[in-house]
Amino acid sequence: MNIAIDKEKWVFVVIQNPGVDELVAGLHDQDSGIDFIPAFKEKEEAAECFINMPREAGNRYEVQAMFLEDLENYASKNNFMIFFLDKQGKILDRVKP
């Protein structure tokens, strides 16, 4: 399924250590060897899915909005793909910035 989202629209991601050395949280798919950033169209979906995502101990996490264009730039600079997920963590779309 392809998700059509305007690059100037907000998408939701998980931020690791918001405010201090913050990073967009990324994951690694062991099967494919792909590093990706989980992204969501709705904040509620991100919060619900985040509960089941792996987290590094000692870090704080927060769901925040980003412009899709900014997320694509961040992902490209850091060699990540973007996977749009639903609240259960099912991949809806993959974006290679």
Side-chain angles (χ1 to χ4, degrees), residues 67-84:
F67 283 117
L68 178 57
E69 183 174 28
D70 292 341
L71 178 58
E72 287 179 341
N73 290 336
Y74 180 91
S76 178
K77 285 180 10 184
N78 293 287
N79 298 316
F80 279 84
M81 287 189 64
I82 300 168
F83 286 8
F84 280 92

Side-chain angles (χ1 to χ4, degrees), residues 29-70:
D29 180 24
Q30 294 289 341
D31 295 334
S32 65
I34 295 173
D35 294 320
F36 68 96
I37 296 170
F40 304 85
K41 288 181 69 173
E42 303 293 331
K43 185 174 185 176
E44 295 76 22
E45 290 177 338
E48 192 168 332
C49 186
F50 173 67
I51 293 169
N52 297 313
M53 286 184 189
R55 294 179 283 274
E56 292 180 25
N59 290 314
R60 290 181 341 139
Y61 295 89
E62 180 178 286
V63 173
Q64 293 186 8
M66 281 184 88
F67 283 117
L68 178 57
E69 183 174 28
D70 292 341

